Amino acid sequence: MIELALLLGLPLAGGIALGALGAHRRAPELNAAVSLATFLAACALTVRVIRHGDLLLAHEQLFIDPFNVFLVALTALVGLTTALFSRPYMRIELAHGRVSAGRLRLYHAMYQMFMLTMLLALTTNNMGLLWVALEAATLSTVLLVTLYRTPRSLEAGWKYFILCGVGIAQALFGTILLYFAAERTLGAEGVTALLWTHLDAVKSQLEPAVLALAFVFLLVGYGTKVGLAPLHSWLPDAHAEGPTPISAVLSGLLLNVALYAVVRCKVLVQGSLHSPLPARMLMGFGLLSVALSSLCLWRQRDVKRLFAYSSVEHMGIATFAFGMGGPVASFAALLHMTVHSLTKSAIFFAVGHAAQKAGSQLMENIRGLVTLSPTIGWGLMTGTLAILGLPPFGVFASEFLILTTAMREQPWAIPILLAALAVAFAAIFRRVQPMVFGETSARRLPHPPALLPVFAHLAIVLVLGLYIPPALADWYRAAARLIGGP
Amino acid sequence: MAPIPLDLQLLDSCAALLLLLSFAMLSQRRIVSLVNLLAVQGAVLAAATLLLAWRTGQGHLYLSAALTLALKVAFLPWLLHRLIRRLQVYWDTEPLLNISGTMLSGILIVVFAFGLAQPITELASTTMRSAIGIAISVVLLAFLMMITRRKAMSQVIGFLSMENGLFFGAMSATYGMPMVVELGVALDVLVAVLVLGVFFFQIREQFDSLDLHHLESLKGEPR
């Protein structure tokens, strides 16, 4: 009880305090401290759920089960490490004159608000509040994407706002349809009809025709936020033009939470429909994202855009795996969400400092990182190898599981997946290799870069690739059972 | 055939008015008039909510009628008018599709929307189920407006009109969403408009215009 109150209360209080505090010299430290406290609350909550089982609180508006508690822990962890990374990163941006102290105040306050929306979206039991939280997540980050006020960042912010706004409006319509179907089954008082736990209990009685329509709208709506092709066009721009810590949390957290929303909806619709329609739609969108993004990777010259397209690819893989369903594929998809989130944010941390050193995000201007600062160079190289799915990292384990399951259940998809993975490998590796090695002309940074978050994330990903602790495996299995369905 | 009660007739007229207003917005190029049309749409929506609240005796509908009145009839139009004066954007340029083309596509959209609403209408037990098709039409027409307009301000008005349509849809299919969700949605809309206000000033500062053709360089091409 108290853990959950802290989990949601801390970012809210932190955001207000950071907004009220103004352009204080110690604001980055306060931001990190609030994130640390939130992370500790998430840990306490996790321990409690492992010991005592599911929680249902605040008039059933909030609930915790194995599926969302693992995402809560992951979200709080990435929130903490990104806050640690943003401390020196934003100081360097300030010293380079790209942001003013006043804008940093907005940045810190909105960072905590974004964390609040992510955690609320994960812990709420109400499908309507889930929608509200995801819309609020867009609103809290749109001014961060435009933080540099360059023409390109304004364009990216506008695109982000309009596309996600329209997308999420579709999801609201889907939610209305869901409520409509639920009200017929759960009774007219309507108070419980949007609560996921109640919906889950009666899902087989919900009207299939309405739920099928609702799922189309929900998938298109939340899928826009996941970055599923062809609805992904906001994603590379928002990632490339915003500050790097924001790219890291967009890729590492927002996409995951939006996918979480899609999966929650899929469980309900699958239970009502008894047809493969939702599964096929997820697989179709997933494969299309994988194929399209791997082709787009070839044309990229901006390093952050490159890795943004790689995020589209990996979310596509996870969506495909959730579409296949079944305990193994769902287990693999959850693992993939975890390792992608950790690896991709680690890469963005390294890329952020690399771009600061080179004074440009264009890959042809970033050269020879390894000679000037071996840690950034090796961090980027290791992260890239990890995200490309090389053993012994965790991404290899999850992709291997997904591919072997697909071979048994959906063999037709294997050529597409393998070809896309190979194309993506070549496209990314040929770009990153000269950035890390080769001649250099980089400058020194006015503050020491934050490297601990990079290697902490990569270490976890490495461990997950070699050995998944039994407690964690049980937890994944429980979550996979919950969403795996028949 | 029994005569239709007066309040139901009024509700149906409200629904028809909403659709008419959507078409009016589609054809209007003066931004000040667009905002006024949006305010009228909000007022019709509030009136429909009030009628429905009175008819069904559901207390929370009175609250959402008051919320609609405060937010969509008073506050948002006031804010938008203020923005228009400060930014001096009075006219939208020629839309991407000319007015008659847009109107024709609008008619096709309405036919499509009623087709889409068919299965829901058959299942609904509310007194306003025939209005679900209109709600979907309003949403899709607003979407069409967002696609065809070039000025940022008209796109935002389209966005708000889309939200009106969704609200009306929720009302006619299920007598509104639970209160906590409705409050959350209202909060989001409010924050969205405030954020956009800030955003417009940033665009304006950077490009000296609110025309969106400035915002077309990001195509993944080298800068």
Side-chain angles (χ1 to χ4, degrees), chain A residues 132 135 142 146 149 152 155 158 166 179-180 184 207 210 301-302, chain B residues 120 123 143 166 174 176 188 195 199 202 206 215 217-218 222-223:
Chain A
V132 171
E135 167 74 356
V142 73
T146 65
R149 305 282 163 86
R152 297 174 66 89
E155 182 186 341
W158 181 253
V166 171
Y179 180 60
F180 168 69
R184 288 168 50 82
E207 186 59 49
V210 179
R301 294 174 64 201
D302 181 313
Chain B
I120 314 168
L123 291 167
F143 191 50
L166 287 170
T174 61
D188 272 351
V195 165
F199 204 69
Q202 295 180 5
Q206 196 56 242
L215 300 183
S217 65
L218 280 179
R223 54 188 85 181

PDB file of all heavy atoms in Angstrom, chain A residues 132 135 142 146 149 152 155 158 166 179-180 184 207 210 301-302, chain B residues 120 123 143 166 174 176 188 195 199 202 206 215 217-218 222-223:
ATOM      1  N   VAL A 132      -5.702   7.832 -20.311  1.00  0.00           N
ATOM      2  CA  VAL A 132      -5.373   9.176 -19.830  1.00  0.00           C
ATOM      3  C   VAL A 132      -3.870   9.289 -19.574  1.00  0.00           C
ATOM      4  O   VAL A 132      -3.225  10.268 -19.957  1.00  0.00           O
ATOM      5  CB  VAL A 132      -6.168   9.486 -18.542  1.00  0.00           C
ATOM      6  CG1 VAL A 132      -5.675  10.767 -17.904  1.00  0.00           C
ATOM      7  CG2 VAL A 132      -7.646   9.587 -18.847  1.00  0.00           C
ATOM      8  N   GLU A 135      -1.841   9.427 -22.878  1.00  0.00           N
ATOM      9  CA  GLU A 135      -1.959  10.743 -23.518  1.00  0.00           C
ATOM     10  C   GLU A 135      -1.122  11.766 -22.747  1.00  0.00           C
ATOM     11  O   GLU A 135      -0.420  12.581 -23.335  1.00  0.00           O
ATOM     12  CB  GLU A 135      -3.437  11.162 -23.572  1.00  0.00           C
ATOM     13  CG  GLU A 135      -3.708  12.609 -23.917  1.00  0.00           C
ATOM     14  CD  GLU A 135      -3.491  12.935 -25.377  1.00  0.00           C
ATOM     15  OE1 GLU A 135      -3.053  12.048 -26.123  1.00  0.00           O
ATOM     16  OE2 GLU A 135      -3.731  14.098 -25.764  1.00  0.00           O
ATOM     17  N   VAL A 142       6.260  16.342 -25.133  1.00  0.00           N
ATOM     18  CA  VAL A 142       6.291  17.074 -26.402  1.00  0.00           C
ATOM     19  C   VAL A 142       7.142  18.346 -26.270  1.00  0.00           C
ATOM     20  O   VAL A 142       7.903  18.688 -27.172  1.00  0.00           O
ATOM     21  CB  VAL A 142       4.867  17.361 -26.919  1.00  0.00           C
ATOM     22  CG1 VAL A 142       4.164  18.420 -26.150  1.00  0.00           C
ATOM     23  CG2 VAL A 142       4.890  17.729 -28.372  1.00  0.00           C
ATOM     24  N   THR A 146      11.010  19.480 -28.123  1.00  0.00           N
ATOM     25  CA  THR A 146      11.331  20.782 -28.714  1.00  0.00           C
ATOM     26  C   THR A 146      12.242  21.616 -27.814  1.00  0.00           C
ATOM     27  O   THR A 146      12.322  22.819 -27.974  1.00  0.00           O
ATOM     28  CB  THR A 146      10.059  21.599 -28.983  1.00  0.00           C
ATOM     29  OG1 THR A 146       9.450  21.893 -27.712  1.00  0.00           O
ATOM     30  CG2 THR A 146       9.073  20.848 -29.820  1.00  0.00           C
ATOM     31  N   ARG A 149      14.569  24.113 -29.425  1.00  0.00           N
ATOM     32  CA  ARG A 149      13.917  25.172 -30.210  1.00  0.00           C
ATOM     33  C   ARG A 149      14.530  25.367 -31.587  1.00  0.00           C
ATOM     34  O   ARG A 149      14.462  26.449 -32.154  1.00  0.00           O
ATOM     35  CB  ARG A 149      13.984  26.535 -29.474  1.00  0.00           C
ATOM     36  CG  ARG A 149      13.442  26.534 -28.095  1.00  0.00           C
ATOM     37  CD  ARG A 149      11.931  26.586 -28.108  1.00  0.00           C
ATOM     38  NE  ARG A 149      11.421  26.182 -26.820  1.00  0.00           N
ATOM     39  CZ  ARG A 149      11.269  27.002 -25.790  1.00  0.00           C
ATOM     40  NH1 ARG A 149      11.539  28.264 -25.932  1.00  0.00           N
ATOM     41  NH2 ARG A 149      10.823  26.560 -24.649  1.00  0.00           N
ATOM     42  N   ARG A 152      14.138  22.086 -36.753  1.00  0.00           N
ATOM     43  CA  ARG A 152      13.917  20.646 -36.888  1.00  0.00           C
ATOM     44  C   ARG A 152      13.261  20.050 -35.649  1.00  0.00           C
ATOM     45  O   ARG A 152      12.432  19.158 -35.745  1.00  0.00           O
ATOM     46  CB  ARG A 152      15.241  19.938 -37.178  1.00  0.00           C
ATOM     47  CG  ARG A 152      15.851  20.366 -38.495  1.00  0.00           C
ATOM     48  CD  ARG A 152      17.220  19.745 -38.656  1.00  0.00           C
ATOM     49  NE  ARG A 152      17.137  18.312 -38.773  1.00  0.00           N
ATOM     50  CZ  ARG A 152      16.982  17.676 -39.915  1.00  0.00           C
ATOM     51  NH1 ARG A 152      16.900  18.344 -41.034  1.00  0.00           N
ATOM     52  NH2 ARG A 152      16.922  16.359 -39.937  1.00  0.00           N
ATOM     53  N   GLU A 155       9.599  20.876 -35.701  1.00  0.00           N
ATOM     54  CA  GLU A 155       8.887  20.018 -36.633  1.00  0.00           C
ATOM     55  C   GLU A 155       8.661  18.633 -36.021  1.00  0.00           C
ATOM     56  O   GLU A 155       7.559  18.084 -36.080  1.00  0.00           O
ATOM     57  CB  GLU A 155       9.681  19.897 -37.926  1.00  0.00           C
ATOM     58  CG  GLU A 155       8.951  19.059 -38.936  1.00  0.00           C
ATOM     59  CD  GLU A 155       9.774  18.807 -40.176  1.00  0.00           C
ATOM     60  OE1 GLU A 155      10.746  19.549 -40.408  1.00  0.00           O
ATOM     61  OE2 GLU A 155       9.446  17.856 -40.900  1.00  0.00           O
ATOM     62  N   TRP A 158       5.961  18.844 -33.380  1.00  0.00           N
ATOM     63  CA  TRP A 158       4.614  18.991 -33.944  1.00  0.00           C
ATOM     64  C   TRP A 158       4.107  17.654 -34.479  1.00  0.00           C
ATOM     65  O   TRP A 158       2.977  17.244 -34.247  1.00  0.00           O
ATOM     66  CB  TRP A 158       4.624  20.056 -35.047  1.00  0.00           C
ATOM     67  CG  TRP A 158       3.280  20.260 -35.643  1.00  0.00           C
ATOM     68  CD1 TRP A 158       2.864  19.852 -36.867  1.00  0.00           C
ATOM     69  CD2 TRP A 158       2.165  20.897 -35.023  1.00  0.00           C
ATOM     70  NE1 TRP A 158       1.554  20.190 -37.065  1.00  0.00           N
ATOM     71  CE2 TRP A 158       1.099  20.832 -35.948  1.00  0.00           C
ATOM     72  CE3 TRP A 158       1.957  21.500 -33.788  1.00  0.00           C
ATOM     73  CZ2 TRP A 158      -0.152  21.352 -35.669  1.00  0.00           C
ATOM     74  CZ3 TRP A 158       0.704  22.020 -33.512  1.00  0.00           C
ATOM     75  CH2 TRP A 158      -0.337  21.947 -34.440  1.00  0.00           C
ATOM     76  N   VAL A 166      -3.722  12.075 -32.665  1.00  0.00           N
ATOM     77  CA  VAL A 166      -4.744  11.428 -33.487  1.00  0.00           C
ATOM     78  C   VAL A 166      -4.791   9.934 -33.183  1.00  0.00           C
ATOM     79  O   VAL A 166      -5.859   9.339 -33.032  1.00  0.00           O
ATOM     80  CB  VAL A 166      -4.457  11.681 -34.983  1.00  0.00           C
ATOM     81  CG1 VAL A 166      -5.374  10.841 -35.836  1.00  0.00           C
ATOM     82  CG2 VAL A 166      -4.649  13.135 -35.302  1.00  0.00           C
ATOM     83  N   TYR A 179     -15.914  -0.283 -23.235  1.00  0.00           N
ATOM     84  CA  TYR A 179     -16.809   0.044 -22.128  1.00  0.00           C
ATOM     85  C   TYR A 179     -18.246  -0.315 -22.481  1.00  0.00           C
ATOM     86  O   TYR A 179     -18.992  -0.873 -21.672  1.00  0.00           O
ATOM     87  CB  TYR A 179     -16.675   1.532 -21.828  1.00  0.00           C
ATOM     88  CG  TYR A 179     -17.535   2.028 -20.696  1.00  0.00           C
ATOM     89  CD1 TYR A 179     -17.380   1.504 -19.412  1.00  0.00           C
ATOM     90  CD2 TYR A 179     -18.463   3.032 -20.890  1.00  0.00           C
ATOM     91  CE1 TYR A 179     -18.157   1.960 -18.375  1.00  0.00           C
ATOM     92  CE2 TYR A 179     -19.244   3.497 -19.858  1.00  0.00           C
ATOM     93  CZ  TYR A 179     -19.096   2.955 -18.603  1.00  0.00           C
ATOM     94  OH  TYR A 179     -19.848   3.411 -17.577  1.00  0.00           O
ATOM     95  N   PHE A 180     -18.581  -0.020 -23.733  1.00  0.00           N
ATOM     96  CA  PHE A 180     -19.924  -0.318 -24.229  1.00  0.00           C
ATOM     97  C   PHE A 180     -20.208  -1.817 -24.144  1.00  0.00           C
ATOM     98  O   PHE A 180     -21.251  -2.242 -23.629  1.00  0.00           O
ATOM     99  CB  PHE A 180     -20.015   0.193 -25.672  1.00  0.00           C
ATOM    100  CG  PHE A 180     -21.224  -0.276 -26.411  1.00  0.00           C
ATOM    101  CD1 PHE A 180     -22.478   0.181 -26.059  1.00  0.00           C
ATOM    102  CD2 PHE A 180     -21.102  -1.165 -27.460  1.00  0.00           C
ATOM    103  CE1 PHE A 180     -23.597  -0.244 -26.736  1.00  0.00           C
ATOM    104  CE2 PHE A 180     -22.214  -1.595 -28.146  1.00  0.00           C
ATOM    105  CZ  PHE A 180     -23.467  -1.136 -27.788  1.00  0.00           C
ATOM    106  N   ARG A 184     -22.754  -4.004 -21.035  1.00  0.00           N
ATOM    107  CA  ARG A 184     -23.831  -4.950 -21.299  1.00  0.00           C
ATOM    108  C   ARG A 184     -23.710  -6.197 -20.431  1.00  0.00           C
ATOM    109  O   ARG A 184     -24.693  -6.809 -20.065  1.00  0.00           O
ATOM    110  CB  ARG A 184     -23.808  -5.368 -22.763  1.00  0.00           C
ATOM    111  CG  ARG A 184     -24.256  -4.286 -23.710  1.00  0.00           C
ATOM    112  CD  ARG A 184     -23.936  -4.667 -25.133  1.00  0.00           C
ATOM    113  NE  ARG A 184     -24.387  -6.017 -25.468  1.00  0.00           N
ATOM    114  CZ  ARG A 184     -25.628  -6.319 -25.816  1.00  0.00           C
ATOM    115  NH1 ARG A 184     -26.530  -5.371 -25.843  1.00  0.00           N
ATOM    116  NH2 ARG A 184     -25.951  -7.552 -26.115  1.00  0.00           N
ATOM    117  N   GLU A 207     -19.306  -9.182 -26.012  1.00  0.00           N
ATOM    118  CA  GLU A 207     -19.807  -9.267 -27.380  1.00  0.00           C
ATOM    119  C   GLU A 207     -18.659  -9.269 -28.400  1.00  0.00           C
ATOM    120  O   GLU A 207     -17.942  -8.278 -28.527  1.00  0.00           O
ATOM    121  CB  GLU A 207     -20.718  -8.059 -27.629  1.00  0.00           C
ATOM    122  CG  GLU A 207     -21.440  -8.057 -28.944  1.00  0.00           C
ATOM    123  CD  GLU A 207     -22.320  -9.274 -29.096  1.00  0.00           C
ATOM    124  OE1 GLU A 207     -23.090  -9.583 -28.154  1.00  0.00           O
ATOM    125  OE2 GLU A 207     -22.212  -9.918 -30.141  1.00  0.00           O
ATOM    126  N   VAL A 210     -18.344  -6.349 -31.216  1.00  0.00           N
ATOM    127  CA  VAL A 210     -17.929  -5.035 -30.734  1.00  0.00           C
ATOM    128  C   VAL A 210     -16.454  -5.067 -30.336  1.00  0.00           C
ATOM    129  O   VAL A 210     -15.694  -4.141 -30.631  1.00  0.00           O
ATOM    130  CB  VAL A 210     -18.797  -4.612 -29.535  1.00  0.00           C
ATOM    131  CG1 VAL A 210     -18.350  -3.265 -29.013  1.00  0.00           C
ATOM    132  CG2 VAL A 210     -20.244  -4.562 -29.933  1.00  0.00           C
ATOM    133  N   ARG A 301      21.669   8.718 -41.780  1.00  0.00           N
ATOM    134  CA  ARG A 301      22.990   9.312 -41.583  1.00  0.00           C
ATOM    135  C   ARG A 301      23.128   9.870 -40.168  1.00  0.00           C
ATOM    136  O   ARG A 301      24.217  10.129 -39.711  1.00  0.00           O
ATOM    137  CB  ARG A 301      23.220  10.425 -42.600  1.00  0.00           C
ATOM    138  CG  ARG A 301      23.283   9.872 -44.018  1.00  0.00           C
ATOM    139  CD  ARG A 301      23.364  10.990 -45.012  1.00  0.00           C
ATOM    140  NE  ARG A 301      24.602  11.737 -44.851  1.00  0.00           N
ATOM    141  CZ  ARG A 301      24.745  12.980 -45.289  1.00  0.00           C
ATOM    142  NH1 ARG A 301      23.762  13.590 -45.877  1.00  0.00           N
ATOM    143  NH2 ARG A 301      25.896  13.616 -45.114  1.00  0.00           N
ATOM    144  N   ASP A 302      21.996  10.072 -39.510  1.00  0.00           N
ATOM    145  CA  ASP A 302      21.996  10.602 -38.150  1.00  0.00           C
ATOM    146  C   ASP A 302      22.002   9.423 -37.183  1.00  0.00           C
ATOM    147  O   ASP A 302      21.185   8.505 -37.292  1.00  0.00           O
ATOM    148  CB  ASP A 302      20.742  11.451 -37.964  1.00  0.00           C
ATOM    149  CG  ASP A 302      20.646  12.076 -36.589  1.00  0.00           C
ATOM    150  OD1 ASP A 302      20.861  11.384 -35.582  1.00  0.00           O
ATOM    151  OD2 ASP A 302      20.333  13.268 -36.524  1.00  0.00           O
TER     152      ASP A 302
ATOM    153  N   ILE B 120     -22.874  -1.757 -33.685  1.00  0.00           N
ATOM    154  CA  ILE B 120     -22.973  -1.188 -32.333  1.00  0.00           C
ATOM    155  C   ILE B 120     -24.400  -0.738 -32.075  1.00  0.00           C
ATOM    156  O   ILE B 120     -24.967  -0.965 -31.008  1.00  0.00           O
ATOM    157  CB  ILE B 120     -22.018   0.003 -32.168  1.00  0.00           C
ATOM    158  CG1 ILE B 120     -20.646  -0.347 -32.725  1.00  0.00           C
ATOM    159  CG2 ILE B 120     -21.914   0.416 -30.722  1.00  0.00           C
ATOM    160  CD1 ILE B 120     -19.746   0.837 -32.856  1.00  0.00           C
ATOM    161  N   LEU B 123     -26.804  -3.375 -31.016  1.00  0.00           N
ATOM    162  CA  LEU B 123     -26.636  -3.930 -29.678  1.00  0.00           C
ATOM    163  C   LEU B 123     -26.972  -2.932 -28.579  1.00  0.00           C
ATOM    164  O   LEU B 123     -27.239  -3.313 -27.451  1.00  0.00           O
ATOM    165  CB  LEU B 123     -25.186  -4.386 -29.493  1.00  0.00           C
ATOM    166  CG  LEU B 123     -24.791  -5.601 -30.320  1.00  0.00           C
ATOM    167  CD1 LEU B 123     -23.289  -5.763 -30.302  1.00  0.00           C
ATOM    168  CD2 LEU B 123     -25.455  -6.832 -29.756  1.00  0.00           C
ATOM    169  N   PHE B 143     -11.133  14.386 -38.538  1.00  0.00           N
ATOM    170  CA  PHE B 143      -9.901  13.787 -39.031  1.00  0.00           C
ATOM    171  C   PHE B 143      -9.602  14.294 -40.440  1.00  0.00           C
ATOM    172  O   PHE B 143      -8.475  14.687 -40.755  1.00  0.00           O
ATOM    173  CB  PHE B 143     -10.081  12.260 -39.016  1.00  0.00           C
ATOM    174  CG  PHE B 143      -8.829  11.502 -39.243  1.00  0.00           C
ATOM    175  CD1 PHE B 143      -7.686  11.789 -38.513  1.00  0.00           C
ATOM    176  CD2 PHE B 143      -8.781  10.488 -40.174  1.00  0.00           C
ATOM    177  CE1 PHE B 143      -6.521  11.078 -38.715  1.00  0.00           C
ATOM    178  CE2 PHE B 143      -7.622   9.773 -40.378  1.00  0.00           C
ATOM    179  CZ  PHE B 143      -6.486  10.079 -39.655  1.00  0.00           C
ATOM    180  N   LEU B 166     -15.836  12.121 -30.037  1.00  0.00           N
ATOM    181  CA  LEU B 166     -15.612  10.955 -29.176  1.00  0.00           C
ATOM    182  C   LEU B 166     -16.470  11.040 -27.919  1.00  0.00           C
ATOM    183  O   LEU B 166     -17.068  10.065 -27.475  1.00  0.00           O
ATOM    184  CB  LEU B 166     -14.132  10.867 -28.785  1.00  0.00           C
ATOM    185  CG  LEU B 166     -13.196  10.421 -29.884  1.00  0.00           C
ATOM    186  CD1 LEU B 166     -11.757  10.598 -29.458  1.00  0.00           C
ATOM    187  CD2 LEU B 166     -13.460   8.963 -30.220  1.00  0.00           C
ATOM    188  N   THR B 174     -23.157   4.754 -24.282  1.00  0.00           N
ATOM    189  CA  THR B 174     -23.148   4.236 -22.910  1.00  0.00           C
ATOM    190  C   THR B 174     -23.503   5.271 -21.847  1.00  0.00           C
ATOM    191  O   THR B 174     -23.198   5.070 -20.681  1.00  0.00           O
ATOM    192  CB  THR B 174     -21.754   3.683 -22.564  1.00  0.00           C
ATOM    193  OG1 THR B 174     -20.831   4.771 -22.664  1.00  0.00           O
ATOM    194  CG2 THR B 174     -21.321   2.582 -23.487  1.00  0.00           C
ATOM    195  N   GLY B 176     -22.015   8.047 -21.331  1.00  0.00           N
ATOM    196  CA  GLY B 176     -20.775   8.620 -20.777  1.00  0.00           C
ATOM    197  C   GLY B 176     -19.909   7.589 -20.087  1.00  0.00           C
ATOM    198  O   GLY B 176     -20.370   6.544 -19.660  1.00  0.00           O
ATOM    199  N   ASP B 188      -6.579  16.108 -19.736  1.00  0.00           N
ATOM    200  CA  ASP B 188      -5.648  15.935 -20.848  1.00  0.00           C
ATOM    201  C   ASP B 188      -5.905  16.956 -21.957  1.00  0.00           C
ATOM    202  O   ASP B 188      -4.976  17.536 -22.504  1.00  0.00           O
ATOM    203  CB  ASP B 188      -5.758  14.519 -21.420  1.00  0.00           C
ATOM    204  CG  ASP B 188      -4.844  13.545 -20.695  1.00  0.00           C
ATOM    205  OD1 ASP B 188      -4.031  14.013 -19.880  1.00  0.00           O
ATOM    206  OD2 ASP B 188      -4.952  12.338 -20.929  1.00  0.00           O
ATOM    207  N   VAL B 195      -0.260  23.261 -23.740  1.00  0.00           N
ATOM    208  CA  VAL B 195       1.023  22.906 -24.343  1.00  0.00           C
ATOM    209  C   VAL B 195       1.103  23.453 -25.765  1.00  0.00           C
ATOM    210  O   VAL B 195       2.116  24.022 -26.177  1.00  0.00           O
ATOM    211  CB  VAL B 195       1.206  21.376 -24.341  1.00  0.00           C
ATOM    212  CG1 VAL B 195       2.329  20.954 -25.263  1.00  0.00           C
ATOM    213  CG2 VAL B 195       1.486  20.879 -22.936  1.00  0.00           C
ATOM    214  N   PHE B 199       3.633  25.912 -27.668  1.00  0.00           N
ATOM    215  CA  PHE B 199       4.240  25.394 -28.880  1.00  0.00           C
ATOM    216  C   PHE B 199       4.099  26.374 -30.047  1.00  0.00           C
ATOM    217  O   PHE B 199       5.036  26.593 -30.801  1.00  0.00           O
ATOM    218  CB  PHE B 199       3.509  24.095 -29.186  1.00  0.00           C
ATOM    219  CG  PHE B 199       4.298  23.161 -30.007  1.00  0.00           C
ATOM    220  CD1 PHE B 199       5.410  22.556 -29.463  1.00  0.00           C
ATOM    221  CD2 PHE B 199       3.955  22.899 -31.303  1.00  0.00           C
ATOM    222  CE1 PHE B 199       6.142  21.685 -30.221  1.00  0.00           C
ATOM    223  CE2 PHE B 199       4.692  22.039 -32.058  1.00  0.00           C
ATOM    224  CZ  PHE B 199       5.783  21.431 -31.522  1.00  0.00           C
ATOM    225  N   GLN B 202       6.566  29.007 -29.916  1.00  0.00           N
ATOM    226  CA  GLN B 202       7.884  28.535 -30.339  1.00  0.00           C
ATOM    227  C   GLN B 202       7.978  28.478 -31.862  1.00  0.00           C
ATOM    228  O   GLN B 202       8.968  28.918 -32.453  1.00  0.00           O
ATOM    229  CB  GLN B 202       8.156  27.142 -29.760  1.00  0.00           C
ATOM    230  CG  GLN B 202       8.255  27.135 -28.249  1.00  0.00           C
ATOM    231  CD  GLN B 202       8.520  25.742 -27.713  1.00  0.00           C
ATOM    232  OE1 GLN B 202       8.720  24.806 -28.461  1.00  0.00           O
ATOM    233  NE2 GLN B 202       8.521  25.615 -26.398  1.00  0.00           N
ATOM    234  N   GLN B 206      10.340  30.897 -34.330  1.00  0.00           N
ATOM    235  CA  GLN B 206      11.350  30.277 -35.180  1.00  0.00           C
ATOM    236  C   GLN B 206      11.114  30.596 -36.661  1.00  0.00           C
ATOM    237  O   GLN B 206      12.042  30.883 -37.385  1.00  0.00           O
ATOM    238  CB  GLN B 206      11.293  28.761 -34.934  1.00  0.00           C
ATOM    239  CG  GLN B 206      12.473  27.992 -35.420  1.00  0.00           C
ATOM    240  CD  GLN B 206      13.783  28.484 -34.869  1.00  0.00           C
ATOM    241  OE1 GLN B 206      14.630  28.911 -35.620  1.00  0.00           O
ATOM    242  NE2 GLN B 206      13.946  28.443 -33.559  1.00  0.00           N
ATOM    243  N   LEU B 215       7.315  23.016 -41.847  1.00  0.00           N
ATOM    244  CA  LEU B 215       7.643  21.819 -41.063  1.00  0.00           C
ATOM    245  C   LEU B 215       7.651  20.589 -41.959  1.00  0.00           C
ATOM    246  O   LEU B 215       6.981  19.630 -41.714  1.00  0.00           O
ATOM    247  CB  LEU B 215       6.622  21.636 -39.940  1.00  0.00           C
ATOM    248  CG  LEU B 215       6.509  22.758 -38.927  1.00  0.00           C
ATOM    249  CD1 LEU B 215       5.510  22.397 -37.855  1.00  0.00           C
ATOM    250  CD2 LEU B 215       7.835  23.068 -38.297  1.00  0.00           C
ATOM    251  N   SER B 217      10.772  19.430 -43.528  1.00  0.00           N
ATOM    252  CA  SER B 217      12.129  19.083 -43.951  1.00  0.00           C
ATOM    253  C   SER B 217      12.559  17.706 -43.456  1.00  0.00           C
ATOM    254  O   SER B 217      13.434  17.089 -44.025  1.00  0.00           O
ATOM    255  CB  SER B 217      13.106  20.144 -43.466  1.00  0.00           C
ATOM    256  OG  SER B 217      13.146  20.147 -42.067  1.00  0.00           O
ATOM    257  N   LEU B 218      11.946  17.227 -42.371  1.00  0.00           N
ATOM    258  CA  LEU B 218      12.398  15.960 -41.787  1.00  0.00           C
ATOM    259  C   LEU B 218      11.839  14.788 -42.573  1.00  0.00           C
ATOM    260  O   LEU B 218      10.737  14.341 -42.342  1.00  0.00           O
ATOM    261  CB  LEU B 218      11.912  15.837 -40.347  1.00  0.00           C
ATOM    262  CG  LEU B 218      12.667  16.565 -39.261  1.00  0.00           C
ATOM    263  CD1 LEU B 218      11.985  16.298 -37.947  1.00  0.00           C
ATOM    264  CD2 LEU B 218      14.092  16.120 -39.197  1.00  0.00           C
ATOM    265  N   PRO B 222      19.512  13.885 -45.468  1.00  0.00           N
ATOM    266  CA  PRO B 222      20.597  14.601 -44.813  1.00  0.00           C
ATOM    267  C   PRO B 222      20.267  16.083 -44.709  1.00  0.00           C
ATOM    268  O   PRO B 222      19.587  16.636 -45.569  1.00  0.00           O
ATOM    269  CB  PRO B 222      21.790  14.388 -45.752  1.00  0.00           C
ATOM    270  CG  PRO B 222      21.221  13.873 -47.022  1.00  0.00           C
ATOM    271  CD  PRO B 222      19.955  13.180 -46.678  1.00  0.00           C
ATOM    272  N   ARG B 223      20.722  16.707 -43.641  1.00  0.00           N
ATOM    273  CA  ARG B 223      20.409  18.119 -43.457  1.00  0.00           C
ATOM    274  C   ARG B 223      21.415  18.993 -44.195  1.00  0.00           C
ATOM    275  O   ARG B 223      22.469  18.549 -44.526  1.00  0.00           O
ATOM    276  CB  ARG B 223      20.383  18.485 -41.983  1.00  0.00           C
ATOM    277  CG  ARG B 223      21.628  18.121 -41.232  1.00  0.00           C
ATOM    278  CD  ARG B 223      21.428  18.331 -39.757  1.00  0.00           C
ATOM    279  NE  ARG B 223      20.798  17.167 -39.155  1.00  0.00           N
ATOM    280  CZ  ARG B 223      20.499  17.106 -37.862  1.00  0.00           C
ATOM    281  NH1 ARG B 223      20.711  18.146 -37.093  1.00  0.00           N
ATOM    282  NH2 ARG B 223      19.992  16.039 -37.345  1.00  0.00           N
TER     283      ARG B 223
END
